[in-house]
Amino acid sequence: MDRTAFFVVTICVILLYLTWPNPQSPSQERVGRTNSIDSPLIVNSTNKVTSPTNINLQSSNTSRTPVKLESEKLISLKTENSTYTFTSAGGLKSIGLNNHKLEPCSSTNNNTTIQLNHASKLPLFALDGIDDSEFFIQNDDNWLTMSSTNQAGILITKKFTPLTNHLLQTSIKLENTTDKTISLNSRTLNLGTSTPLNEPNLRSIWGVQFFDGESMQEIDEAWFSNKTLGCFPGTPRSFFTSNPLTGIQSNNWIGIHNRFFSVVTMPMQELKGAAAQSQQTSTEKADLLDGQYVHSTGISASFRLASIELKSGESIEQEFTTYAGPKEYRSLVQIGISYNNSLHSIMDLDGFFGFFSRILLRSMNGLNSWGLSYALSIIAITIIIKLIFYPLTKNSTLSMKRMSAFQPQMKEIREKYKADPQKMNKKTMEFMKENKINPVGSCLPVVIQMPIFLGYFFMLQSAIELRGAEFLWACDLSQADTIATIAGIPINPLPILMSITMWLQMRMNPTSPSMDQMAQKMMQFMPLMILVMCYNFPSGLALYWTASNILGIFQTKMVRDIKFEIPNATPANSALAKPIKVKNKRKK
């Protein structure tokens, strides 16, 4: 069991490293970028296009709304799952998720729902470089249209149609209403600003994600700080942009996200010469807005669209589909198949450990569909895993018992051949093989179950299913099960139970004979160390670990009562024929 504790501590240290927040440098709190942004100009002749004038200004998609209004008009479209709030400034101001409460554990604030694109200074689908006037809005229960004619004479029409499964269809049409050709330089289509759902902590996940058709790029605070190994200072980045030469394909997408929710926009046709962009920006100045936490900075997402030329009466129309909802794996897989764009990648469950995360998530959802709660599903999965690995655990424990029983003989071998290390190792291995002792047997059950533990951890990072899932006193398995706070210290019962059951399991298992006294004393404090390291991890993970420890105690009890006979010495090692008997502590 000492090896088990070693591996557990290693896992905790790795998880702490992966989740430790990067302190934000003062220079990055409100990052601006000076770009050369071209304004649309009217050409004096239909046969000759003058060169547009470059205007050097602060990137407006991160500092202010393109359309400034004295009195903003807001209109909402409500569906079964979502409430879309549109602004006369020319876009989608926010998305409310009707079925997801802001505070699952609160008994007094159950009517406040999650708001996406919260506290952003820019609405989604605002066109920086095009929008400059207030929009006129028309709508019914199923669609909404907003239109405006800018100072260059371009009629801008944006139509929004809510679909099922948290999807929103958007079309943007630009029409030249003048009698002259208009040259439009590149323009920025804002697609949201990401902020953390709560005040940042070890488990905060938020930023921008861009999928180029093959792989996903994560743009978060760590990407901008650009620290080596997440610790050593590097050269900070201020701006992300994809390659405009490849453009934006119909199976690409860009989105903002936090730990449990995403707003992802997918183009319905190829955008030639366009590029995905992201940078850090400031948000609305407030600590709380409508009860929801507001972070001082955000990370914006946008498409930089290529320059075009519109002749008199010509128009261009581009269509997009936006998913604005929870990170629900089953729905994301189905939508990704429909649009052929791997939308499920927003949950970041790819790679080696992601494979186990997906299996665990599918198993948990499957058991839940049969009527089990998510907490009971976790316990059921733990039981299944323990039953599968019981033969391996049994052999591992018996191997340790044999090693302990034959320790005097092995010590004699080491003494006899200490002058010849090569021969000593050979004789030791022969002796262990003859007596069915596996030197690495005690490590195998832990090593094999490590991916399952890490799979649980990464699955709990983004699976919406466990948000608000209850178990006894724990009202949200995606968070720590805090029941009280004493002197500023939260009281989390499940991690405490986890450490107690781990200590009991360690006491029941045989100690490795090769471990010295100092190491044995240090191992006694291992459960306490693990408690400190993993105290604030999600209660769903602590529930799995505690259930695994309790089942491990029963398995250890079953294996500990198994008797085995120490074989007599062979003629080859008759000098070592001093087997010790396993003492039975029970007195009859």
Side-chain angles (χ1 to χ4, degrees):
M1 191 60 189
D2 51 292
R3 292 182 179 87
T4 301
F6 171 78
F7 280 112
V8 168
V9 170
T10 303
I11 291 172
C12 285
V13 171
I14 292 172
L15 295 182
L16 284 173
Y17 171 78
L18 292 175
T19 58
W20 195 265
N22 290 310
Q24 192 178 35
S25 61
S27 61
Q28 292 180 344
E29 274 195 16
R30 288 177 173 80
V31 177
R33 181 179 175 87
T34 303
N35 293 328
S36 179
I37 299 179
D38 304 323
S39 61
L41 296 178
I42 298 179
V43 180
N44 296 325
S45 170
T46 57
N47 298 322
K48 183 179 180 181
V49 179
T50 60
S51 300
T53 305
N54 291 336
I55 302 175
N56 196 25
L57 48 81
Q58 197 79 359
S59 181
S60 60
N61 71 318
T62 61
S63 59
R64 64 181 185 274
T65 305
V67 179
K68 291 184 177 181
L69 304 176
E70 292 183 2
S71 177
E72 182 183 33
K73 298 181 179 64
L74 300 177
I75 295 180
S76 296
L77 280 182
K78 189 171 184 179
T79 66
E80 180 182 357
N81 297 319
S82 307
T83 299
Y84 301 96
T85 302
F86 298 89
T87 171
S88 56
L92 176 59
K93 186 177 181 67
S94 64
I95 306 103
L97 302 180
N98 302 334
N99 301 322
H100 295 278
K101 305 304 180 184
L102 181 60
E103 299 178 10
C105 292
S106 175
S107 58
T108 59
N109 196 23
N110 283 334
N111 294 324
T112 305
T113 58
I114 292 291
Q115 298 290 321
L116 304 180
N117 199 47
H118 185 64
S120 173
K121 292 184 177 180
L122 278 174
L124 275 85
F125 301 107
L127 270 172
D128 186 20
I130 300 293
D131 298 347
D132 61 12
S133 303
E134 183 174 8
F135 281 76
F136 173 72
I137 300 177
Q138 292 179 302
N139 74 292
D140 66 10
D141 293 338
N142 301 316
W143 55 268
L144 181 144
T145 299
M146 56 178 63
S147 58
S148 174
T149 301
N150 69 4
Q151 297 176 12
I154 298 174
L155 174 61
I156 308 160
T157 304
K158 303 177 184 181
K159 184 175 182 179
F160 303 91
T161 306
L163 306 176
T164 58
N165 296 325
H166 298 282
L167 294 175
L168 176 70
Q169 192 176 62
T170 303
S171 69
I172 301 176
K173 183 179 179 180
L174 305 179
E175 182 180 359
N176 183 359
T177 61
T178 70
D179 57 356
K180 298 179 182 179
T181 299
I182 296 180
S183 178
L184 295 178
N185 293 305
S186 58
R187 57 209 181 278
T188 299
L189 179 65
N190 180 67
L191 297 173
T193 300
S194 171
T195 56
L197 190 60
N198 306 104
E199 189 172 355
N201 54 39
L202 293 179
R203 293 174 305 283
S204 293
I205 298 175
W206 60 289
V208 169
Q209 296 170 320
F210 171 62
F211 181 74
D212 62 5
E214 295 182 358
S215 60
M216 187 188 70
Q217 173 73 56
E218 186 82 39
I219 306 108
D220 53 14
E221 284 191 316
W223 187 90
F224 287 107
S225 62
N226 194 28
K227 293 183 178 180
T228 304
L229 299 177
C231 301
F232 305 102
T235 303
R237 302 180 177 118
S238 60
F239 199 76
F240 167 84
T241 183
S242 65
N243 186 0
L245 297 179
T246 59
I248 300 296
Q249 307 301 316
S250 59
N251 65 343
N252 296 175
W253 47 259
I254 192 170
I256 60 173
H257 76 116
N258 54 41
R259 185 180 174 190
F260 295 112
F261 306 97
S262 290
V263 180
V264 181
T265 299
M266 307 167 279
M268 294 295 98
Q269 66 279 321
E270 180 184 1
L271 304 177
K272 293 183 178 179
Q277 294 186 340
S278 178
Q279 67 183 103
Q280 290 182 303
T281 180
S282 60
T283 59
E284 295 288 350
K285 295 180 179 179
D287 293 327
L288 291 173
L289 191 60
D290 298 328
Q292 189 165 326
Y293 172 76
V294 178
H295 198 47
S296 60
T297 60
I299 301 176
S300 66
S302 61
F303 282 148
R304 188 72 172 169
L305 304 176
S307 59
I308 58 172
E309 187 178 87
L310 291 179
K311 295 181 180 180
S312 177
E314 271 190 341
S315 64
I316 180 174
E317 186 171 1
Q318 295 166 326
E319 294 184 348
F320 305 87
T321 299
T322 300
Y323 175 83
K327 293 180 178 179
E328 189 176 28
Y329 188 76
R330 289 173 293 188
S331 298
L332 294 174
V333 169
Q334 293 173 358
I335 296 172
I337 292 173
S338 300
Y339 292 93
N340 191 31
N341 61 9
S342 301
L343 189 63
H344 64 274
S345 296
I346 66 176
M347 293 187 66
D348 198 18
L349 297 183
D350 300 322
F352 178 72
F353 294 117
F355 170 77
F356 294 93
S357 297
R358 294 193 300 272
I359 292 178
L360 291 167
L361 183 57
R362 288 179 182 272
S363 302
M364 191 174 65
N365 285 329
L367 292 171
N368 179 256
S369 66
W370 291 348
L372 288 180
S373 67
Y374 281 109
L376 293 179
S377 298
I378 291 175
I379 295 173
I381 292 172
T382 308
I383 293 173
I384 294 171
I385 292 172
K386 280 294 184 181
L387 289 175
I388 292 174
F389 288 106
Y390 176 69
L392 189 60
T393 304
K394 176 182 174 182
N395 292 335
S396 170
T397 305
L398 290 178
S399 178
M400 288 187 66
K401 291 179 70 175
R402 287 192 183 96
M403 181 179 289
S404 179
F406 283 103
Q407 195 59 210
Q409 289 90 331
M410 294 175 66
K411 185 176 181 181
E412 287 188 32
I413 292 176
R414 288 192 292 268
E415 289 292 331
K416 183 176 180 180
Y417 300 104
K418 62 182 179 181
D420 189 349
Q422 187 174 357
K423 191 172 183 180
M424 179 185 69
N425 292 334
K426 181 181 178 181
K427 289 292 184 179
T428 301
M429 294 304 296
E430 288 176 354
F431 182 81
M432 295 174 70
K433 183 178 180 181
E434 178 184 351
N435 293 282
K436 299 179 181 180
I437 299 173
N438 186 353
V440 297
S442 60
C443 300
L444 286 178
V446 180
V447 172
I448 293 176
Q449 292 181 68
M450 275 180 62
I452 298 173
F453 177 85
L454 291 172
Y456 256 120
F457 176 81
F458 291 115
M459 182 262 287
L460 290 170
Q461 289 292 90
S462 58
I464 188 65
E465 287 85 349
L466 292 182
R467 186 176 188 268
E470 299 179 354
F471 177 71
L472 299 179
W473 60 83
C475 61
D476 186 354
L477 291 178
S478 68
Q479 304 288 345
D481 60 323
T482 304
I483 59 172
T485 302
I486 300 177
I489 300 174
I491 306 302
N492 303 335
L494 273 175
I496 296 172
L497 287 175
M498 176 191 74
S499 299
I500 293 173
T501 53
M502 179 177 292
W503 178 79
L504 291 174
Q505 192 177 11
M506 288 178 63
R507 295 280 294 178
M508 294 179 66
N509 276 276
T511 305
S512 175
S514 59
M515 180 178 290
D516 57 33
Q517 291 296 323
M518 180 62 69
Q520 290 184 28
K521 290 181 180 180
M522 291 179 61
M523 293 306 301
Q524 294 176 1
F525 294 96
M526 196 61 67
L528 181 61
M529 294 171 58
I530 293 172
L531 174 65
V532 174
M533 291 180 180
C534 307
Y535 191 66
N536 289 311
F537 278 5
S539 54
L541 187 64
L543 174 62
Y544 160 73
W545 203 339
T546 303
S548 180
N549 288 342
I550 293 173
L551 293 170
I553 290 172
F554 283 107
Q555 288 185 346
T556 302
K557 182 70 170 62
M558 293 168 60
V559 175
R560 190 177 66 174
D561 291 339
I562 296 176
K563 302 291 193 305
F564 67 91
E565 294 182 1
I566 300 177
N568 293 327
T570 62
N573 61 356
S574 57
L576 307 177
K578 298 178 181 178
I580 62 174
K581 296 180 180 180
V582 179
K583 294 182 180 179
N584 191 348
K585 295 183 179 180
R586 294 183 177 180
K587 295 182 179 179
K588 296 183 179 180

